[in-house]
PDB file of all heavy atoms in Angstrom:
ATOM      1  N   ASP A  28       8.382  57.998   3.929  1.00  0.00           N
ATOM      2  CA  ASP A  28       6.781  58.139   4.106  1.00  0.00           C
ATOM      3  C   ASP A  28       6.238  56.898   3.414  1.00  0.00           C
ATOM      4  O   ASP A  28       6.533  56.708   2.239  1.00  0.00           O
ATOM      5  CB  ASP A  28       6.206  59.424   3.613  1.00  0.00           C
ATOM      6  CG  ASP A  28       6.769  60.653   4.280  1.00  0.00           C
ATOM      7  OD1 ASP A  28       6.922  60.510   5.554  1.00  0.00           O
ATOM      8  OD2 ASP A  28       6.897  61.669   3.691  1.00  0.00           O
ATOM      9  N   VAL A  29       5.503  56.125   4.136  1.00  0.00           N
ATOM     10  CA  VAL A  29       4.853  55.026   3.654  1.00  0.00           C
ATOM     11  C   VAL A  29       3.359  55.433   3.341  1.00  0.00           C
ATOM     12  O   VAL A  29       2.737  55.832   4.269  1.00  0.00           O
ATOM     13  CB  VAL A  29       4.842  53.768   4.497  1.00  0.00           C
ATOM     14  CG1 VAL A  29       4.131  52.624   3.848  1.00  0.00           C
ATOM     15  CG2 VAL A  29       6.314  53.402   4.923  1.00  0.00           C
ATOM     16  N   ILE A  30       2.961  55.306   2.043  1.00  0.00           N
ATOM     17  CA  ILE A  30       1.550  55.661   1.762  1.00  0.00           C
ATOM     18  C   ILE A  30       0.966  54.443   1.007  1.00  0.00           C
ATOM     19  O   ILE A  30       1.584  53.679   0.533  1.00  0.00           O
ATOM     20  CB  ILE A  30       1.471  56.871   0.949  1.00  0.00           C
ATOM     21  CG1 ILE A  30       2.206  56.737  -0.377  1.00  0.00           C
ATOM     22  CG2 ILE A  30       2.033  58.046   1.725  1.00  0.00           C
ATOM     23  CD1 ILE A  30       2.061  57.850  -1.419  1.00  0.00           C
ATOM     24  N   VAL A  31      -0.407  54.453   1.074  1.00  0.00           N
ATOM     25  CA  VAL A  31      -1.137  53.512   0.317  1.00  0.00           C
ATOM     26  C   VAL A  31      -1.273  53.995  -1.215  1.00  0.00           C
ATOM     27  O   VAL A  31      -1.826  55.145  -1.435  1.00  0.00           O
ATOM     28  CB  VAL A  31      -2.522  53.218   0.881  1.00  0.00           C
ATOM     29  CG1 VAL A  31      -3.436  52.278   0.042  1.00  0.00           C
ATOM     30  CG2 VAL A  31      -2.442  52.787   2.400  1.00  0.00           C
ATOM     31  N   GLY A  32      -0.836  53.180  -2.145  1.00  0.00           N
ATOM     32  CA  GLY A  32      -0.897  53.563  -3.558  1.00  0.00           C
ATOM     33  C   GLY A  32      -1.943  52.823  -4.229  1.00  0.00           C
ATOM     34  O   GLY A  32      -2.507  51.810  -3.747  1.00  0.00           O
ATOM     35  N   SER A  33      -2.292  53.294  -5.504  1.00  0.00           N
ATOM     36  CA  SER A  33      -3.351  52.588  -6.293  1.00  0.00           C
ATOM     37  C   SER A  33      -2.971  52.871  -7.826  1.00  0.00           C
ATOM     38  O   SER A  33      -2.157  53.916  -8.132  1.00  0.00           O
ATOM     39  CB  SER A  33      -4.774  52.952  -5.960  1.00  0.00           C
ATOM     40  OG  SER A  33      -4.886  54.415  -6.320  1.00  0.00           O
ATOM     41  N   ALA A  34      -3.534  52.189  -8.642  1.00  0.00           N
ATOM     42  CA  ALA A  34      -3.377  52.332 -10.058  1.00  0.00           C
ATOM     43  C   ALA A  34      -3.982  53.697 -10.566  1.00  0.00           C
ATOM     44  O   ALA A  34      -3.547  54.275 -11.554  1.00  0.00           O
ATOM     45  CB  ALA A  34      -3.850  51.171 -10.935  1.00  0.00           C
ATOM     46  N   THR A  35      -4.977  54.200  -9.945  1.00  0.00           N
ATOM     47  CA  THR A  35      -5.542  55.386 -10.258  1.00  0.00           C
ATOM     48  C   THR A  35      -5.032  56.679  -9.516  1.00  0.00           C
ATOM     49  O   THR A  35      -5.569  57.747  -9.509  1.00  0.00           O
ATOM     50  CB  THR A  35      -7.024  55.471  -9.905  1.00  0.00           C
ATOM     51  OG1 THR A  35      -7.326  55.088  -8.605  1.00  0.00           O
ATOM     52  CG2 THR A  35      -7.705  54.254 -10.820  1.00  0.00           C
ATOM     53  N   MET A  36      -3.959  56.597  -8.685  1.00  0.00           N
ATOM     54  CA  MET A  36      -3.469  57.544  -7.939  1.00  0.00           C
ATOM     55  C   MET A  36      -2.766  58.626  -8.883  1.00  0.00           C
ATOM     56  O   MET A  36      -2.153  58.352  -9.941  1.00  0.00           O
ATOM     57  CB  MET A  36      -2.242  56.953  -7.084  1.00  0.00           C
ATOM     58  CG  MET A  36      -1.653  57.756  -6.144  1.00  0.00           C
ATOM     59  SD  MET A  36      -0.524  56.565  -5.251  1.00  0.00           S
ATOM     60  CE  MET A  36      -0.309  57.556  -3.834  1.00  0.00           C
ATOM     61  N   GLU A  37      -2.996  59.954  -8.520  1.00  0.00           N
ATOM     62  CA  GLU A  37      -2.588  61.094  -9.265  1.00  0.00           C
ATOM     63  C   GLU A  37      -1.281  61.606  -8.580  1.00  0.00           C
ATOM     64  O   GLU A  37      -1.556  62.012  -7.422  1.00  0.00           O
ATOM     65  CB  GLU A  37      -3.677  62.120  -9.380  1.00  0.00           C
ATOM     66  CG  GLU A  37      -4.810  61.806 -10.238  1.00  0.00           C
ATOM     67  CD  GLU A  37      -4.544  61.692 -11.662  1.00  0.00           C
ATOM     68  OE1 GLU A  37      -3.670  62.384 -12.068  1.00  0.00           O
ATOM     69  OE2 GLU A  37      -5.274  61.020 -12.455  1.00  0.00           O
ATOM     70  N   LEU A  38      -0.207  61.711  -9.304  1.00  0.00           N
ATOM     71  CA  LEU A  38       1.026  62.295  -8.767  1.00  0.00           C
ATOM     72  C   LEU A  38       0.912  63.776  -8.510  1.00  0.00           C
ATOM     73  O   LEU A  38       1.312  64.221  -7.470  1.00  0.00           O
ATOM     74  CB  LEU A  38       2.088  61.981  -9.837  1.00  0.00           C
ATOM     75  CG  LEU A  38       3.475  62.533  -9.403  1.00  0.00           C
ATOM     76  CD1 LEU A  38       3.912  61.835  -8.038  1.00  0.00           C
ATOM     77  CD2 LEU A  38       4.511  62.351 -10.509  1.00  0.00           C
ATOM     78  N   VAL A  39      -0.041  64.450  -9.200  1.00  0.00           N
ATOM     79  CA  VAL A  39      -0.164  65.953  -9.101  1.00  0.00           C
ATOM     80  C   VAL A  39      -0.782  66.112  -7.680  1.00  0.00           C
ATOM     81  O   VAL A  39      -0.459  67.101  -7.017  1.00  0.00           O
ATOM     82  CB  VAL A  39      -1.051  66.522 -10.212  1.00  0.00           C
ATOM     83  CG1 VAL A  39      -1.390  67.901  -9.884  1.00  0.00           C
ATOM     84  CG2 VAL A  39      -0.429  66.371 -11.470  1.00  0.00           C
ATOM     85  N   ASP A  40      -1.712  65.215  -7.261  1.00  0.00           N
ATOM     86  CA  ASP A  40      -2.398  65.451  -5.902  1.00  0.00           C
ATOM     87  C   ASP A  40      -1.341  65.288  -4.899  1.00  0.00           C
ATOM     88  O   ASP A  40      -1.473  65.957  -3.784  1.00  0.00           O
ATOM     89  CB  ASP A  40      -3.505  64.323  -5.928  1.00  0.00           C
ATOM     90  CG  ASP A  40      -4.624  64.673  -6.730  1.00  0.00           C
ATOM     91  OD1 ASP A  40      -4.877  65.829  -7.167  1.00  0.00           O
ATOM     92  OD2 ASP A  40      -5.429  63.721  -7.067  1.00  0.00           O
ATOM     93  N   LEU A  41      -0.350  64.234  -4.999  1.00  0.00           N
ATOM     94  CA  LEU A  41       0.683  64.022  -3.954  1.00  0.00           C
ATOM     95  C   LEU A  41       1.418  65.340  -3.964  1.00  0.00           C
ATOM     96  O   LEU A  41       1.867  65.751  -2.782  1.00  0.00           O
ATOM     97  CB  LEU A  41       1.441  62.902  -4.360  1.00  0.00           C
ATOM     98  CG  LEU A  41       0.947  61.618  -4.054  1.00  0.00           C
ATOM     99  CD1 LEU A  41       1.834  60.450  -4.521  1.00  0.00           C
ATOM    100  CD2 LEU A  41       0.589  61.359  -2.526  1.00  0.00           C
ATOM    101  N   ILE A  42       1.818  65.900  -4.998  1.00  0.00           N
ATOM    102  CA  ILE A  42       2.728  67.093  -5.032  1.00  0.00           C
ATOM    103  C   ILE A  42       1.927  68.298  -4.374  1.00  0.00           C
ATOM    104  O   ILE A  42       2.520  69.109  -3.574  1.00  0.00           O
ATOM    105  CB  ILE A  42       3.075  67.388  -6.501  1.00  0.00           C
ATOM    106  CG1 ILE A  42       4.148  66.328  -7.023  1.00  0.00           C
ATOM    107  CG2 ILE A  42       3.882  68.795  -6.615  1.00  0.00           C
ATOM    108  CD1 ILE A  42       4.398  66.414  -8.521  1.00  0.00           C
ATOM    109  N   GLU A  43       0.580  68.405  -4.698  1.00  0.00           N
ATOM    110  CA  GLU A  43      -0.123  69.558  -4.123  1.00  0.00           C
ATOM    111  C   GLU A  43      -0.227  69.392  -2.561  1.00  0.00           C
ATOM    112  O   GLU A  43       0.034  70.279  -1.962  1.00  0.00           O
ATOM    113  CB  GLU A  43      -1.561  69.575  -4.697  1.00  0.00           C
ATOM    114  CG  GLU A  43      -2.339  70.624  -4.224  1.00  0.00           C
ATOM    115  CD  GLU A  43      -3.685  70.474  -4.649  1.00  0.00           C
ATOM    116  OE1 GLU A  43      -4.153  69.677  -5.388  1.00  0.00           O
ATOM    117  OE2 GLU A  43      -4.570  71.652  -4.505  1.00  0.00           O
ATOM    118  N   ASP A  44      -0.347  68.149  -2.171  1.00  0.00           N
ATOM    119  CA  ASP A  44      -0.396  68.089  -0.659  1.00  0.00           C
ATOM    120  C   ASP A  44       0.881  68.295  -0.030  1.00  0.00           C
ATOM    121  O   ASP A  44       0.933  68.917   1.044  1.00  0.00           O
ATOM    122  CB  ASP A  44      -0.752  66.440  -0.361  1.00  0.00           C
ATOM    123  CG  ASP A  44      -2.202  66.072  -0.793  1.00  0.00           C
ATOM    124  OD1 ASP A  44      -3.051  66.928  -0.891  1.00  0.00           O
ATOM    125  OD2 ASP A  44      -2.463  64.810  -0.821  1.00  0.00           O
ATOM    126  N   GLU A  45       2.007  67.828  -0.717  1.00  0.00           N
ATOM    127  CA  GLU A  45       3.250  68.271  -0.058  1.00  0.00           C
ATOM    128  C   GLU A  45       3.545  69.783  -0.129  1.00  0.00           C
ATOM    129  O   GLU A  45       4.052  70.204   0.922  1.00  0.00           O
ATOM    130  CB  GLU A  45       4.461  67.573  -0.849  1.00  0.00           C
ATOM    131  CG  GLU A  45       4.515  66.062  -0.598  1.00  0.00           C
ATOM    132  CD  GLU A  45       4.910  65.737   0.690  1.00  0.00           C
ATOM    133  OE1 GLU A  45       5.932  66.368   1.323  1.00  0.00           O
ATOM    134  OE2 GLU A  45       4.388  64.808   1.375  1.00  0.00           O
ATOM    135  N   ALA A  46       3.145  70.510  -1.144  1.00  0.00           N
ATOM    136  CA  ALA A  46       3.331  71.844  -1.189  1.00  0.00           C
ATOM    137  C   ALA A  46       2.295  72.562  -0.092  1.00  0.00           C
ATOM    138  O   ALA A  46       2.828  73.565   0.519  1.00  0.00           O
ATOM    139  CB  ALA A  46       2.880  72.485  -2.480  1.00  0.00           C
ATOM    140  N   LEU A  47       1.232  72.171   0.092  1.00  0.00           N
ATOM    141  CA  LEU A  47       0.267  72.612   1.207  1.00  0.00           C
ATOM    142  C   LEU A  47       0.937  72.397   2.605  1.00  0.00           C
ATOM    143  O   LEU A  47       0.784  73.274   3.373  1.00  0.00           O
ATOM    144  CB  LEU A  47      -1.119  71.975   1.042  1.00  0.00           C
ATOM    145  CG  LEU A  47      -1.959  72.486  -0.135  1.00  0.00           C
ATOM    146  CD1 LEU A  47      -3.194  71.703  -0.191  1.00  0.00           C
ATOM    147  CD2 LEU A  47      -2.143  74.036  -0.108  1.00  0.00           C
ATOM    148  N   LEU A  48       1.611  71.299   2.709  1.00  0.00           N
ATOM    149  CA  LEU A  48       2.179  71.045   4.064  1.00  0.00           C
ATOM    150  C   LEU A  48       3.372  71.901   4.313  1.00  0.00           C
ATOM    151  O   LEU A  48       3.831  72.223   5.345  1.00  0.00           O
ATOM    152  CB  LEU A  48       2.526  69.609   4.141  1.00  0.00           C
ATOM    153  CG  LEU A  48       1.325  68.703   4.367  1.00  0.00           C
ATOM    154  CD1 LEU A  48       1.785  67.165   4.254  1.00  0.00           C
ATOM    155  CD2 LEU A  48       0.658  68.900   5.669  1.00  0.00           C
ATOM    156  N   ALA A  49       4.095  72.226   3.068  1.00  0.00           N
ATOM    157  CA  ALA A  49       5.431  73.085   3.182  1.00  0.00           C
ATOM    158  C   ALA A  49       5.143  74.552   3.396  1.00  0.00           C
ATOM    159  O   ALA A  49       5.999  75.119   3.996  1.00  0.00           O
ATOM    160  CB  ALA A  49       6.107  72.863   1.967  1.00  0.00           C
ATOM    161  N   ILE A  50       4.000  75.004   2.956  1.00  0.00           N
ATOM    162  CA  ILE A  50       3.899  76.613   3.136  1.00  0.00           C
ATOM    163  C   ILE A  50       3.452  76.788   4.563  1.00  0.00           C
ATOM    164  O   ILE A  50       2.888  76.040   5.275  1.00  0.00           O
ATOM    165  CB  ILE A  50       2.842  77.151   2.118  1.00  0.00           C
ATOM    166  CG1 ILE A  50       1.422  76.476   2.323  1.00  0.00           C
ATOM    167  CG2 ILE A  50       3.287  76.921   0.712  1.00  0.00           C
ATOM    168  CD1 ILE A  50       0.417  77.040   1.490  1.00  0.00           C
ATOM    169  N   PRO A  51       3.829  78.043   5.054  1.00  0.00           N
ATOM    170  CA  PRO A  51       3.444  78.361   6.399  1.00  0.00           C
ATOM    171  C   PRO A  51       1.905  78.542   6.604  1.00  0.00           C
ATOM    172  O   PRO A  51       1.265  78.881   5.658  1.00  0.00           O
ATOM    173  CB  PRO A  51       4.132  79.829   6.701  1.00  0.00           C
ATOM    174  CG  PRO A  51       4.504  80.250   5.248  1.00  0.00           C
ATOM    175  CD  PRO A  51       4.537  79.134   4.386  1.00  0.00           C
ATOM    176  N   GLN A  52       1.500  78.276   7.785  1.00  0.00           N
ATOM    177  CA  GLN A  52       0.070  78.453   8.023  1.00  0.00           C
ATOM    178  C   GLN A  52      -0.504  79.956   8.086  1.00  0.00           C
ATOM    179  O   GLN A  52      -1.676  80.241   7.869  1.00  0.00           O
ATOM    180  CB  GLN A  52      -0.345  77.755   9.362  1.00  0.00           C
ATOM    181  CG  GLN A  52      -0.242  76.235   9.359  1.00  0.00           C
ATOM    182  CD  GLN A  52      -0.598  75.483  10.661  1.00  0.00           C
ATOM    183  OE1 GLN A  52      -0.765  76.257  11.759  1.00  0.00           O
ATOM    184  NE2 GLN A  52      -0.691  74.314  10.636  1.00  0.00           N
ATOM    185  N   ALA A  53       0.580  80.805   8.524  1.00  0.00           N
ATOM    186  CA  ALA A  53       0.100  82.177   8.427  1.00  0.00           C
ATOM    187  C   ALA A  53       1.249  82.862   7.737  1.00  0.00           C
ATOM    188  O   ALA A  53       2.322  82.633   7.666  1.00  0.00           O
ATOM    189  CB  ALA A  53       0.204  82.689   9.997  1.00  0.00           C
ATOM    190  N   PRO A  54       0.778  84.094   7.163  1.00  0.00           N
ATOM    191  CA  PRO A  54       1.799  84.872   6.355  1.00  0.00           C
ATOM    192  C   PRO A  54       2.839  85.240   7.276  1.00  0.00           C
ATOM    193  O   PRO A  54       2.749  85.641   8.370  1.00  0.00           O
ATOM    194  CB  PRO A  54       0.994  85.865   5.820  1.00  0.00           C
ATOM    195  CG  PRO A  54      -0.463  85.725   6.028  1.00  0.00           C
ATOM    196  CD  PRO A  54      -0.474  84.575   7.063  1.00  0.00           C
ATOM    197  N   LYS A  55       4.112  85.349   6.688  1.00  0.00           N
ATOM    198  CA  LYS A  55       5.246  85.822   7.315  1.00  0.00           C
ATOM    199  C   LYS A  55       6.014  86.888   6.402  1.00  0.00           C
ATOM    200  O   LYS A  55       5.906  86.889   5.304  1.00  0.00           O
ATOM    201  CB  LYS A  55       6.296  84.682   7.536  1.00  0.00           C
ATOM    202  CG  LYS A  55       5.760  83.625   8.488  1.00  0.00           C
ATOM    203  CD  LYS A  55       6.788  82.562   8.688  1.00  0.00           C
ATOM    204  CE  LYS A  55       6.210  81.576   9.616  1.00  0.00           C
ATOM    205  NZ  LYS A  55       7.253  80.421   9.697  1.00  0.00           N
ATOM    206  N   HIS A  56       6.811  87.776   7.032  1.00  0.00           N
ATOM    207  CA  HIS A  56       7.569  88.811   6.389  1.00  0.00           C
ATOM    208  C   HIS A  56       8.998  88.438   6.571  1.00  0.00           C
ATOM    209  O   HIS A  56       9.481  87.664   7.302  1.00  0.00           O
ATOM    210  CB  HIS A  56       7.226  90.203   6.826  1.00  0.00           C
ATOM    211  CG  HIS A  56       7.126  90.418   8.200  1.00  0.00           C
ATOM    212  ND1 HIS A  56       8.174  90.459   8.998  1.00  0.00           N
ATOM    213  CD2 HIS A  56       6.029  90.443   9.049  1.00  0.00           C
ATOM    214  CE1 HIS A  56       7.837  90.576  10.223  1.00  0.00           C
ATOM    215  NE2 HIS A  56       6.498  90.606  10.314  1.00  0.00           N
ATOM    216  N   ALA A  57       9.836  88.955   5.637  1.00  0.00           N
ATOM    217  CA  ALA A  57      11.322  88.629   5.649  1.00  0.00           C
ATOM    218  C   ALA A  57      11.884  89.017   6.979  1.00  0.00           C
ATOM    219  O   ALA A  57      12.753  88.318   7.484  1.00  0.00           O
ATOM    220  CB  ALA A  57      11.912  89.250   4.361  1.00  0.00           C
ATOM    221  N   SER A  58      11.582  90.223   7.527  1.00  0.00           N
ATOM    222  CA  SER A  58      12.193  90.764   8.657  1.00  0.00           C
ATOM    223  C   SER A  58      11.175  91.565   9.440  1.00  0.00           C
ATOM    224  O   SER A  58      10.293  92.151   8.834  1.00  0.00           O
ATOM    225  CB  SER A  58      13.378  91.581   8.330  1.00  0.00           C
ATOM    226  OG  SER A  58      13.024  92.776   7.545  1.00  0.00           O
ATOM    227  N   CYS A  59      11.405  91.574  10.624  1.00  0.00           N
ATOM    228  CA  CYS A  59      10.396  92.355  11.583  1.00  0.00           C
ATOM    229  C   CYS A  59      10.702  93.848  11.394  1.00  0.00           C
ATOM    230  O   CYS A  59      11.828  94.365  11.377  1.00  0.00           O
ATOM    231  CB  CYS A  59      10.567  92.040  12.994  1.00  0.00           C
ATOM    232  SG  CYS A  59      10.111  90.279  13.373  1.00  0.00           S
ATOM    233  N   PRO A  60       9.555  94.646  11.285  1.00  0.00           N
ATOM    234  CA  PRO A  60       9.760  96.033  11.191  1.00  0.00           C
ATOM    235  C   PRO A  60      10.245  96.584  12.446  1.00  0.00           C
ATOM    236  O   PRO A  60      10.113  96.022  13.601  1.00  0.00           O
ATOM    237  CB  PRO A  60       8.450  96.679  10.806  1.00  0.00           C
ATOM    238  CG  PRO A  60       7.444  95.515  11.327  1.00  0.00           C
ATOM    239  CD  PRO A  60       8.104  94.243  11.237  1.00  0.00           C
ATOM    240  N   GLY A  61      10.936  97.753  12.491  1.00  0.00           N
ATOM    241  CA  GLY A  61      11.437  98.484  13.641  1.00  0.00           C
ATOM    242  C   GLY A  61      10.233  98.837  14.516  1.00  0.00           C
ATOM    243  O   GLY A  61       9.107  98.631  14.134  1.00  0.00           O
ATOM    244  N   PRO A  62      10.577  99.452  15.672  1.00  0.00           N
ATOM    245  CA  PRO A  62       9.614  99.817  16.583  1.00  0.00           C
ATOM    246  C   PRO A  62       8.727 101.023  16.156  1.00  0.00           C
ATOM    247  O   PRO A  62       9.233 101.915  15.379  1.00  0.00           O
ATOM    248  CB  PRO A  62      10.345 100.280  17.862  1.00  0.00           C
ATOM    249  CG  PRO A  62      11.785 100.520  17.352  1.00  0.00           C
ATOM    250  CD  PRO A  62      11.914  99.612  16.240  1.00  0.00           C
ATOM    251  N   GLN A  63       7.472 100.902  16.203  1.00  0.00           N
ATOM    252  CA  GLN A  63       6.629 101.822  15.675  1.00  0.00           C
ATOM    253  C   GLN A  63       6.046 102.750  16.925  1.00  0.00           C
ATOM    254  O   GLN A  63       5.874 102.185  17.982  1.00  0.00           O
ATOM    255  CB  GLN A  63       5.584 101.339  14.851  1.00  0.00           C
ATOM    256  CG  GLN A  63       5.948 100.469  13.728  1.00  0.00           C
ATOM    257  CD  GLN A  63       4.700  99.773  13.020  1.00  0.00           C
ATOM    258  OE1 GLN A  63       3.576  99.772  13.466  1.00  0.00           O
ATOM    259  NE2 GLN A  63       5.087  99.074  11.956  1.00  0.00           N
ATOM    260  N   ALA A  64       5.723 103.943  16.565  1.00  0.00           N
ATOM    261  CA  ALA A  64       5.071 104.770  17.507  1.00  0.00           C
ATOM    262  C   ALA A  64       3.800 104.197  17.870  1.00  0.00           C
ATOM    263  O   ALA A  64       2.925 103.802  17.075  1.00  0.00           O
ATOM    264  CB  ALA A  64       4.951 106.288  16.964  1.00  0.00           C
ATOM    265  N   PRO A  65       3.254 104.436  19.102  1.00  0.00           N
ATOM    266  CA  PRO A  65       2.029 103.844  19.576  1.00  0.00           C
ATOM    267  C   PRO A  65       0.741 104.649  18.811  1.00  0.00           C
ATOM    268  O   PRO A  65       0.988 105.785  18.595  1.00  0.00           O
ATOM    269  CB  PRO A  65       1.986 104.041  21.102  1.00  0.00           C
ATOM    270  CG  PRO A  65       2.971 105.057  21.304  1.00  0.00           C
ATOM    271  CD  PRO A  65       3.999 104.989  20.251  1.00  0.00           C
ATOM    272  N   VAL A  66      -0.184 104.013  18.549  1.00  0.00           N
ATOM    273  CA  VAL A  66      -1.311 104.592  17.963  1.00  0.00           C
ATOM    274  C   VAL A  66      -2.179 105.295  19.092  1.00  0.00           C
ATOM    275  O   VAL A  66      -2.449 104.634  20.210  1.00  0.00           O
ATOM    276  CB  VAL A  66      -2.331 103.537  17.373  1.00  0.00           C
ATOM    277  CG1 VAL A  66      -3.417 104.088  16.709  1.00  0.00           C
ATOM    278  CG2 VAL A  66      -1.487 102.833  16.243  1.00  0.00           C
ATOM    279  N   ARG A  67      -2.550 106.612  18.836  1.00  0.00           N
ATOM    280  CA  ARG A  67      -3.236 107.392  19.782  1.00  0.00           C
ATOM    281  C   ARG A  67      -4.645 107.549  19.208  1.00  0.00           C
ATOM    282  O   ARG A  67      -4.758 107.862  18.107  1.00  0.00           O
ATOM    283  CB  ARG A  67      -2.485 108.802  20.039  1.00  0.00           C
ATOM    284  CG  ARG A  67      -1.190 108.543  20.739  1.00  0.00           C
ATOM    285  CD  ARG A  67      -0.525 109.787  21.077  1.00  0.00           C
ATOM    286  NE  ARG A  67       0.776 109.651  21.466  1.00  0.00           N
ATOM    287  CZ  ARG A  67       1.215 109.840  22.654  1.00  0.00           C
ATOM    288  NH1 ARG A  67       0.453 110.371  23.572  1.00  0.00           N
ATOM    289  NH2 ARG A  67       2.486 109.755  23.010  1.00  0.00           N
ATOM    290  N   ILE A  68      -5.541 107.388  20.276  1.00  0.00           N
ATOM    291  CA  ILE A  68      -6.986 107.650  19.828  1.00  0.00           C
ATOM    292  C   ILE A  68      -7.316 109.065  20.253  1.00  0.00           C
ATOM    293  O   ILE A  68      -7.206 109.305  21.569  1.00  0.00           O
ATOM    294  CB  ILE A  68      -7.905 106.437  20.421  1.00  0.00           C
ATOM    295  CG1 ILE A  68      -7.393 105.206  19.890  1.00  0.00           C
ATOM    296  CG2 ILE A  68      -9.318 106.809  20.140  1.00  0.00           C
ATOM    297  CD1 ILE A  68      -8.028 104.069  20.475  1.00  0.00           C
ATOM    298  N   ASP A  69      -7.925 109.711  19.546  1.00  0.00           N
ATOM    299  CA  ASP A  69      -8.361 111.162  20.027  1.00  0.00           C
ATOM    300  C   ASP A  69      -9.854 110.959  20.577  1.00  0.00           C
ATOM    301  O   ASP A  69     -10.844 110.629  19.955  1.00  0.00           O
ATOM    302  CB  ASP A  69      -8.605 112.039  18.694  1.00  0.00           C
ATOM    303  CG  ASP A  69      -8.795 113.426  19.074  1.00  0.00           C
ATOM    304  OD1 ASP A  69      -8.866 113.764  20.291  1.00  0.00           O
ATOM    305  OD2 ASP A  69      -9.001 114.248  18.176  1.00  0.00           O
ATOM    306  N   ASP A  70      -9.889 111.118  21.866  1.00  0.00           N
ATOM    307  CA  ASP A  70     -11.159 110.909  22.503  1.00  0.00           C
ATOM    308  C   ASP A  70     -12.227 112.036  22.267  1.00  0.00           C
ATOM    309  O   ASP A  70     -13.502 111.758  22.370  1.00  0.00           O
ATOM    310  CB  ASP A  70     -10.959 110.933  24.108  1.00  0.00           C
ATOM    311  CG  ASP A  70     -10.157 109.718  24.600  1.00  0.00           C
ATOM    312  OD1 ASP A  70     -10.120 108.777  23.790  1.00  0.00           O
ATOM    313  OD2 ASP A  70      -9.694 109.690  25.694  1.00  0.00           O
ATOM    314  N   SER A  71     -11.838 113.001  21.665  1.00  0.00           N
ATOM    315  CA  SER A  71     -12.706 114.226  21.383  1.00  0.00           C
ATOM    316  C   SER A  71     -13.641 113.815  20.330  1.00  0.00           C
ATOM    317  O   SER A  71     -14.720 114.363  20.069  1.00  0.00           O
ATOM    318  CB  SER A  71     -12.080 115.498  21.093  1.00  0.00           C
ATOM    319  OG  SER A  71     -11.326 115.382  19.827  1.00  0.00           O
ATOM    320  N   GLU A  72     -13.285 112.749  19.413  1.00  0.00           N
ATOM    321  CA  GLU A  72     -14.136 112.397  18.255  1.00  0.00           C
ATOM    322  C   GLU A  72     -14.888 111.154  18.591  1.00  0.00           C
ATOM    323  O   GLU A  72     -15.288 110.348  17.595  1.00  0.00           O
ATOM    324  CB  GLU A  72     -13.134 112.267  17.071  1.00  0.00           C
ATOM    325  CG  GLU A  72     -12.557 113.573  16.592  1.00  0.00           C
ATOM    326  CD  GLU A  72     -11.823 113.297  15.226  1.00  0.00           C
ATOM    327  OE1 GLU A  72     -12.143 112.407  14.591  1.00  0.00           O
ATOM    328  OE2 GLU A  72     -10.934 114.114  15.003  1.00  0.00           O
ATOM    329  N   VAL A  73     -14.997 110.692  19.848  1.00  0.00           N
ATOM    330  CA  VAL A  73     -15.759 109.546  20.126  1.00  0.00           C
ATOM    331  C   VAL A  73     -17.251 109.811  19.822  1.00  0.00           C
ATOM    332  O   VAL A  73     -17.929 110.715  20.361  1.00  0.00           O
ATOM    333  CB  VAL A  73     -15.556 109.141  21.659  1.00  0.00           C
ATOM    334  CG1 VAL A  73     -16.442 108.004  22.013  1.00  0.00           C
ATOM    335  CG2 VAL A  73     -14.154 108.815  22.002  1.00  0.00           C
ATOM    336  N   LYS A  74     -17.830 108.863  18.974  1.00  0.00           N
ATOM    337  CA  LYS A  74     -19.133 109.087  18.609  1.00  0.00           C
ATOM    338  C   LYS A  74     -20.158 108.364  19.685  1.00  0.00           C
ATOM    339  O   LYS A  74     -19.745 107.391  20.221  1.00  0.00           O
ATOM    340  CB  LYS A  74     -19.403 108.418  17.245  1.00  0.00           C
ATOM    341  CG  LYS A  74     -18.722 109.137  16.148  1.00  0.00           C
ATOM    342  CD  LYS A  74     -18.759 108.478  14.715  1.00  0.00           C
ATOM    343  CE  LYS A  74     -18.014 109.121  13.741  1.00  0.00           C
ATOM    344  NZ  LYS A  74     -18.104 108.411  12.455  1.00  0.00           N
TER     345      LYS A  74
END
């Protein structure tokens, strides 16, 4: 990666940028849960 550097450049900022690029954009879980029963809506309680 070629970047523009300067004398006032902060290494911590570069590390933070790399960390932000490495994490997923959306949360993920280790494994998918098994099939779940469908959610049923009780129509008798419709307000």
Side-chain angles (χ1 to χ4, degrees):
D28 293 323
V29 182
I30 62 171
V31 177
S33 70
T35 60
M36 191 174 193
E37 291 288 335
L38 182 60
V39 174
D40 293 338
L41 284 174
I42 293 170
E43 181 182 10
D44 290 345
E45 287 295 315
L47 290 173
L48 290 171
I50 60 175
Q52 292 181 350
K55 296 180 180 181
H56 46 79
S58 64
C59 292
Q63 298 177 355
V66 177
R67 296 184 186 244
I68 299 172
D69 186 6
D70 291 345
S71 64
E72 295 184 24
V73 175
K74 297 179 183 177

